[in-house]
Amino acid sequence: MAPVASKANPLLSSIPWRRITLRTICSGRIAQAPSPSPAEPSVADSEAVVTGKKILETFSEEFEIGSRKITLETGKIARFANGAVVLGMEETKVLSTVASAKSDGARDFLPLTVDYQEKQFAQGVIPNTFMRREGAPKERELLCGRLIDRPIRPLFPLGFYHEVQVMASVLSSDGKQDPDVMAANATSAALMLSDIPWGGPIGVIRVGRISGQFIVNPSMDELNLSDLNLVYACTRDKTLMIDVQAREISEKDLKAALRLAHPEAVKYMEPQIRLAAKAGKEKKEYKLSMVSEETYEKIRSMAEAPIEAVFTDPTYGKFARGEALDNITQDVKKKLEEECDEEGLKVLSKTVDTVRKKVVRKRIIGDGLRVDGRRLDEVRPLYCEAGNLPVLHGSSIFSRGDTQVLCTVTLGAPAEAQRLESLVGPPSKRFMLHYSFPPFCINEVGKRVGLNRREVGHGTLAEKALLAVLPPEDDFPYTVRVNAEVMASDGSTSMASVCAGSMALMDAGIPLREHVAGLSVGLVSETDPSTGEITDYRVLTDILGLEDHLGDMDFKIAGTRNGITAIQLDIKPAGIPLDIICECLEPALKGRLQILDHMDREINVPRSQDGRNSPRILTLRYSNDAIRRLIGPLGALKTKIEEQTGGRISVSDGLLTIVAKNQSVLDKVMEKIDFIVGREIEKGGVYKGVVTSIKEYGAFVEFNGGQQGLLHISELSHEPVSRVSDVVSVGQVLNVMCIGLDVRGNVNLSLKANLPRPESKTTPAARESVDPVQQKPKVWKQENKVDQPMGSGEGLSSVVIRSAAECDEEEKSAGVNQNSKAKAPVDATKLKLGMELTAKVHQIRAHGLVLDLGGGIRGMYRFETGSRREFQVGEELQVKCSSFSSKGIPVMSLIQH
């Protein structure tokens, strides 16, 4: 420590300092800092004041998994927490802490709370909020909290009902690793260090696949290329949790990924055990809320027979069954009240639920029959309907048994994509599925609140299932929002949302590769009380809500005919063998194919977007100046256009994206934009303009965002016009067509090109020809000097007109001037612009034709880009004089019949 007198602040050096004796803490013990012995000389005021040091005893473990070095550390920070661990992988570090309440735990459930938080300081960023601090938990934080909760919850001992809180937060992030799996492993290590009874440790691993090769602990960049994102949690010999997002991975490949993930996840356990041996606390004796054997037998004897009668009657519906079971509970309660059995009344609800569980399990395992009378592999009756709300972009209803979901689809502009502010992953997402579980769907009374963990989790699962079949953003640039509204719930509402969402997307005209369907698979098992090993089990396809509650697992599997797109596995016991998990994939596939058959019969191809309610999206590129004119000061002009038309305009990187509800709205928006900004002038394009001035030879028209064009007197009407003012007036709005540009770059416009052609007298030279039908004007495009064969290339819409010098050079290279030297210049009084006549092909050149116009006059015709016609010498053509070269040679254009 620097001497006090040497500090920069002069006020500090003037203060008389006394020698201070401080205490240090080392491994939880308080020690006195050493003081100088009497024999030592006194220290001058200018010398340093020696203070004690605070020494923190830390413990760490270092290991490697999937080529990533991982560290576990405890003791440095959060020392007062019951358990605290910092897990690091490269430059990403996550802190996880656990604490338990000191209450007696007098309740019948485990109040476990898991909070995961990503604060912006982890990447050196100040939050972009009004208060400049983090607000309510974001969707990603809720999902990561669920990811931690699901594997640790089954390992708390039976009857442990003390409040436990897990708090995981990201300390630093380099953006290369997803902190969610790291937080789950850190939580396992923190629980191992604490005095809370828990049956861990667990290991959580992420597995990806790139080009058929599995990757353990992939980075974020590798995940972007991966067609599999598997998160797997397990104990040493059993599976606890599975979460999968995939691009139609086959059941065989998924089994291979699971069998690879298990031994890799187990590698996390030994370092946790070693760390707990160094720094862990002795497990505390907590009070467990257990039901005595005597009380259980008493309640079972009163409730088992009537409960079995209800469960063996398949005519009961969900609510009728629930009411009958509640009546049984009330009857048992009255008997216990008559006997004044306070202990039995206290555990009545929990004990009756245990009796129900055993009755259902015995019937399923012994008789192979389920509560509603179905076989074990039977799917409930299905009902599908697409397009039930025709006013919307897309809609559908899907029912499976008593579970019913209504889905709607809304398409929006790319700028309406959801912005994400997570530490890792993309900054936005253009596909959103919002799942809603209102109280009326289970006939309850409740109120709507903010983000619900269950709703967020179910919606994200359905979103991941459908994301795999969406078209790429380049082919379908819309932002898509799917609303899944649960109308009735009796199990597997998230999988019903997948089915309804797939049909609604097709009803909206979105070109999905395949339909996606999903269902839940359950498990009922018997275990050996002494060893906890499963001795017998049954797999249930398409489980009811009651079977989910009374069974051992809820295995949600969604996919197409080609493979799996999403999985979520939640279990209630302390692990299930991986072999049983893999066995469940086969009945899930059979049930999924049955559902897909019903969905295909309702709608199997995307609907056409030509309907009146189909949205339109158009992307245009403009210069920055043009976009600036369109937006206006503070975006006022853009807002005004949106209010007047009902369309939406978004700007990004020089691109202007317009989204309209239908074609009519899009036309209104384009009309406004063209008038303000204009668009690239095309020969043959029709524009709306205003006459600004009138001359003897024509009128000048302002169009296309302020550009000027000449409307020549010859282009006003098909009939001869003596005065321009007889046809148009200043301020008049006209629809004019661009017929070309002259050598000086002036835009030539035509009014008569948009007017119907009356029956007119033909010129003497063209009397024998049929009245020509004016073809849509082609465009001139500047070509390379290399000669190209006629008919090669494709027509382009942009107008590029040669200058006079380029035309002369072209004439020299084509040899037209050499043939015209012997001819006198054409008399303009005999051949005028717009005159139509019949000409013969005199010569065929590399870039055009030499035409015999009669009377010894030669004209030229330049090949148009995209022309695929072959000409022959002597062939007669219907042509029109479009301009004159600098040498006076008439330049002709073809008139197509």
Side-chain angles (χ1 to χ4, degrees):
M1 185 173 184
V4 175
S6 66
K7 289 189 176 291
N9 194 332
L11 295 178
L12 295 179
S13 61
S14 63
I15 299 177
W17 292 84
R18 295 184 303 167
R19 188 176 306 282
I20 302 174
T21 302
L22 301 177
R23 295 182 298 174
T24 62
I25 299 178
C26 181
S27 301
R29 298 182 296 277
I30 298 176
Q32 192 75 14
S35 59
S37 62
E40 294 179 356
S42 61
V43 181
D45 291 342
S46 61
E47 293 181 358
V49 177
V50 179
T51 62
K53 284 187 177 181
K54 193 171 187 179
I55 302 174
L56 302 178
E57 188 175 9
T58 61
F59 303 91
S60 64
E61 287 290 332
E62 186 174 304
F63 54 102
E64 188 174 314
I65 297 178
S67 73
R68 311 281 183 192
K69 188 174 74 171
I70 304 170
T71 58
L72 292 172
E73 186 181 81
T74 186
K76 182 177 289 187
I77 58 177
R79 294 168 63 85
F80 286 170
N82 202 330
V85 170
V86 175
L87 188 146
M89 185 182 299
E90 296 180 356
E91 297 301 322
T92 301
K93 295 183 181 298
V94 178
L95 167 67
S96 184
T97 62
V98 296
S100 62
K102 297 179 175 58
S103 60
D104 57 357
R107 54 180 67 87
D108 60 352
F109 66 96
L110 171 62
L112 172 63
T113 304
V114 179
D115 295 317
Y116 173 89
Q117 192 171 30
E118 291 181 347
K119 291 192 174 182
Q120 296 296 306
F121 72 78
Q123 283 190 336
V125 176
I126 296 176
N128 190 25
T129 60
F130 178 76
M131 299 296 294
R132 293 298 186 266
R133 64 185 303 168
E134 288 77 12
K138 299 184 285 290
E139 283 189 14
R140 172 177 162 80
E141 292 175 323
L142 296 178
L143 293 172
C144 292
R146 282 172 54 87
L147 194 73
I148 300 170
D149 181 294
R150 286 156 53 197
I152 66 174
R153 185 179 288 270
L155 297 182
F156 286 95
L158 186 65
F160 179 81
Y161 298 142
H162 295 264
E163 188 173 3
V164 177
Q165 184 177 34
V166 175
M167 298 191 71
S169 57
V170 182
L171 301 181
S172 66
S173 173
D174 57 6
K176 299 179 181 178
Q177 299 294 328
D178 196 326
D180 55 355
V181 170
M182 299 172 59
N185 286 292
T187 300
S188 173
L191 285 168
M192 291 293 292
L193 293 176
S194 70
D195 61 12
I196 302 172
W198 187 66
I202 67 170
V204 185
I205 197 76
R206 172 173 271 112
V207 175
R209 186 177 72 165
I210 300 177
S211 301
Q213 298 295 321
F214 292 114
I215 301 174
V216 178
N217 278 340
S219 65
M220 295 304 300
D221 292 337
E222 290 172 333
L223 274 180
N224 291 333
L225 303 174
S226 174
D227 61 355
L228 171 67
N229 185 355
L230 164 66
V231 178
Y232 180 84
C234 64
T235 60
R236 194 171 295 277
D237 54 357
K238 292 183 179 180
T239 301
L240 288 169
M241 185 268 296
I242 298 175
D243 195 276
V244 172
Q245 179 179 0
R247 299 174 190 165
E248 299 180 281
I249 185 173
S250 67
E251 279 75 8
K252 179 181 178 181
D253 291 346
L254 181 62
K255 290 178 184 178
L258 293 174
R259 298 196 183 280
L260 169 67
H262 188 92
E264 294 294 331
V266 170
K267 295 179 182 178
Y268 277 98
M269 300 178 190
E270 191 61 34
Q272 297 180 42
I273 296 174
R274 293 198 301 265
L275 187 65
K278 295 178 185 177
K281 298 178 182 178
E282 185 177 351
K283 295 299 180 182
K284 184 179 177 181
E285 292 293 333
Y286 283 84
K287 180 181 178 181
L288 303 180
S289 301
M290 304 296 291
V291 180
S292 64
E293 188 67 26
E294 180 182 352
T295 302
Y296 171 76
E297 288 297 331
K298 182 178 181 180
I299 296 176
R300 185 192 64 80
S301 63
M302 291 186 286
E304 185 177 32
I307 288 175
E308 189 171 355
V310 172
F311 283 155
T312 53
D313 188 352
T315 61
Y316 277 109
K318 175 180 179 177
F319 292 104
R321 187 185 300 113
E323 185 177 355
L325 293 174
D326 289 341
N327 292 335
I328 295 172
T329 305
Q330 293 300 320
D331 293 341
V332 176
K333 182 179 179 180
K334 290 179 182 178
K335 294 179 182 179
L336 294 177
E337 287 176 344
E338 292 174 358
E339 299 176 5
C340 298
D341 190 345
E342 295 184 1
E343 182 182 354
L345 290 171
K346 189 181 297 185
V347 297
L348 174 62
S349 177
K350 178 183 174 182
T351 307
V352 170
D353 191 64
T354 304
V355 175
R356 294 176 184 173
K357 193 179 217 180
K358 291 194 174 182
V359 170
V360 168
R361 289 168 173 269
K362 179 180 177 181
R363 175 172 167 79
I364 290 176
I365 292 179
D367 302 334
L369 295 177
R370 301 165 68 169
V371 174
D372 56 354
R374 284 184 294 150
R375 301 187 307 274
L376 299 183
D377 60 349
E378 186 177 352
V379 179
R380 288 175 287 176
L382 301 171
Y383 172 77
C384 304
E385 182 181 350
N388 55 296
L389 300 173
V391 177
L392 306 183
H393 295 166
S395 60
S396 69
I397 292 178
F398 178 84
S399 297
R400 182 170 51 223
D402 290 333
T403 296
Q404 184 184 63
V405 173
L406 167 69
C407 265
T408 61
V409 173
T410 307
L411 304 180
E416 295 178 300
Q418 180 182 359
R419 291 192 298 271
L420 306 176
E421 295 182 354
S422 59
L423 299 180
V424 294
S428 64
K429 66 176 182 179
R430 67 183 184 100
F431 177 69
M432 301 161 283
L433 192 147
H434 296 154
Y435 169 96
S436 180
F437 192 89
F440 67 77
C441 71
I442 51 175
N443 196 25
E444 289 185 357
V445 176
K447 57 183 179 180
R448 303 297 297 163
V449 292
L451 284 178
N452 179 279
R453 288 177 182 261
R454 181 181 181 277
E455 290 184 340
V456 171
H458 281 44
T460 302
L461 175 62
E463 181 181 295
K464 292 191 294 186
L466 295 171
L467 193 61
V469 297
L470 284 180
E473 187 172 1
D474 294 339
D475 298 337
F476 194 82
Y478 292 91
T479 294
V480 183
R481 183 192 184 212
V482 179
N483 271 81
E485 306 285 336
V486 180
M487 299 288 106
S489 173
D490 192 14
S492 302
T493 54
S494 61
M495 296 294 96
S497 300
V498 173
C499 303
S502 181
M503 291 192 299
L505 290 171
M506 278 201 177
D507 183 58
I510 299 177
L512 301 185
R513 291 204 308 270
E514 293 277 347
H515 258 318
V516 184
L519 78 167
S520 290
V521 176
L523 179 71
V524 171
S525 62
E526 287 184 352
T527 58
D528 187 342
S530 59
T531 62
E533 297 297 325
I534 295 178
T535 57
D536 199 3
Y537 65 90
R538 297 291 184 273
V539 176
L540 311 179
T541 302
D542 184 23
I543 58 175
L544 297 169
L546 182 65
E547 293 169 335
D548 179 13
H549 174 68
L550 300 178
D552 291 334
M553 77 174 184
D554 183 10
F555 195 7
K556 302 181 180 72
I557 306 173
T560 66
R561 297 182 186 275
N562 301 324
I564 295 171
T565 59
I567 282 179
Q568 180 177 295
L569 169 65
D570 295 322
I571 66 170
K572 295 178 179 65
I576 295 175
L578 182 57
D579 291 338
I580 296 179
I581 300 296
C582 294
E583 183 182 335
C584 296
L585 297 176
E586 189 62 30
L589 174 60
K590 293 181 179 178
R592 187 168 78 242
L593 294 178
Q594 295 178 35
I595 299 170
L596 288 170
D597 289 339
H598 280 77
M599 294 167 60
D600 284 337
R601 284 195 288 269
E602 174 62 21
I603 179 171
N604 57 6
V605 293
R607 298 199 195 280
S608 171
Q609 292 188 339
D610 295 334
R612 59 184 179 88
N613 292 311
S614 299
R616 299 291 188 269
I617 187 168
L618 181 64
T619 301
L620 304 172
R621 183 175 292 278
Y622 288 97
S623 66
N624 292 332
D625 291 338
I627 292 178
R628 194 178 298 112
R629 293 200 308 272
L630 174 65
I631 295 175
L634 300 177
L637 196 54
K638 169 179 170 290
T639 304
K640 183 178 180 180
I641 294 175
E642 291 178 335
E643 292 175 351
Q644 292 177 346
T645 62
R648 293 186 180 182
I649 302 173
S650 60
V651 179
S652 175
D653 297 333
L655 294 177
L656 192 71
T657 303
I658 307 165
V659 177
K661 292 182 179 179
N662 48 48
Q663 186 63 42
S664 175
V665 174
L666 180 62
D667 293 339
K668 292 179 182 178
V669 177
M670 284 304 303
E671 182 179 342
K672 298 281 186 182
I673 293 176
D674 289 345
F675 190 78
I676 298 170
V677 178
R679 57 188 173 184
E680 186 179 6
I681 300 177
E682 299 179 358
K683 188 175 179 181
V686 179
Y687 305 89
K688 180 175 289 187
V690 179
V691 178
T692 58
S693 63
I694 294 178
K695 306 296 181 182
E696 294 181 358
Y697 49 84
F700 284 96
V701 179
E702 182 176 329
F703 72 106
N704 200 38
Q707 290 184 310
Q708 290 279 347
L710 174 62
L711 180 58
H712 194 265
I713 188 172
S714 63
E715 296 295 335
L716 288 174
S717 174
H718 295 291
E719 301 294 335
V721 177
S722 58
R723 289 194 308 175
V724 178
S725 57
D726 292 341
V727 180
V728 296
S729 59
V730 176
Q732 184 178 353
V733 179
L734 303 174
N735 286 325
V736 293
M737 177 184 289
C738 173
I739 58 174
L741 282 76
D742 60 21
V743 293
R744 291 178 295 276
N746 298 322
V747 181
N748 294 325
L749 303 175
S750 175
L751 180 62
K752 68 179 183 181
N754 289 330
L755 301 177
R757 177 183 292 275
E759 295 183 1
S760 59
K761 297 180 180 180
T762 59
T763 60
R767 284 176 181 171
E768 298 178 0
S769 62
V770 183
D771 288 340
V773 179
Q774 187 169 355
Q775 182 193 20
K776 182 180 177 181
K778 300 292 183 181
V779 289
W780 286 94
K781 177 179 180 299
Q782 186 169 357
E783 302 173 354
N784 296 329
K785 298 302 180 181
V786 180
D787 290 344
Q788 296 181 357
M790 291 184 298
S792 63
E794 297 180 356
L796 301 178
S797 59
S798 60
V799 175
V800 181
I801 302 299
R802 298 186 181 96
S803 65
E806 291 172 335
C807 289
D808 293 340
E809 183 66 26
E810 186 70 21
E811 291 163 3
K812 293 178 181 179
S813 61
V816 177
N817 286 341
Q818 297 175 5
N819 286 335
S820 63
K821 288 180 181 179
K823 304 294 182 180
V826 176
D827 189 353
T829 60
K830 297 180 181 179
L831 185 64
K832 298 181 180 180
L833 289 175
M835 181 178 290
E836 300 175 1
L837 66 157
T838 303
K840 292 184 179 181
V841 178
H842 182 70
Q843 288 182 352
I844 300 176
R845 302 288 184 175
H847 297 279
L849 305 175
V850 178
L851 301 176
D852 185 1
L853 304 180
I857 301 175
R858 296 285 189 269
M860 67 177 180
Y861 165 73
R862 297 190 183 95
F863 291 148
E864 298 173 346
T865 304
S867 173
R868 299 185 179 277
R869 181 177 175 184
E870 294 184 359
F871 298 91
Q872 296 179 357
V873 176
E875 181 182 359
E876 291 189 351
L877 303 174
Q878 292 295 321
V879 295
K880 175 182 177 181
C881 181
S882 59
S883 63
F884 293 90
S885 72
S886 60
K887 302 295 184 180
I889 300 175
V891 179
M892 314 303 291
S893 61
L894 288 180
I895 300 176
Q896 300 291 341
H897 290 285

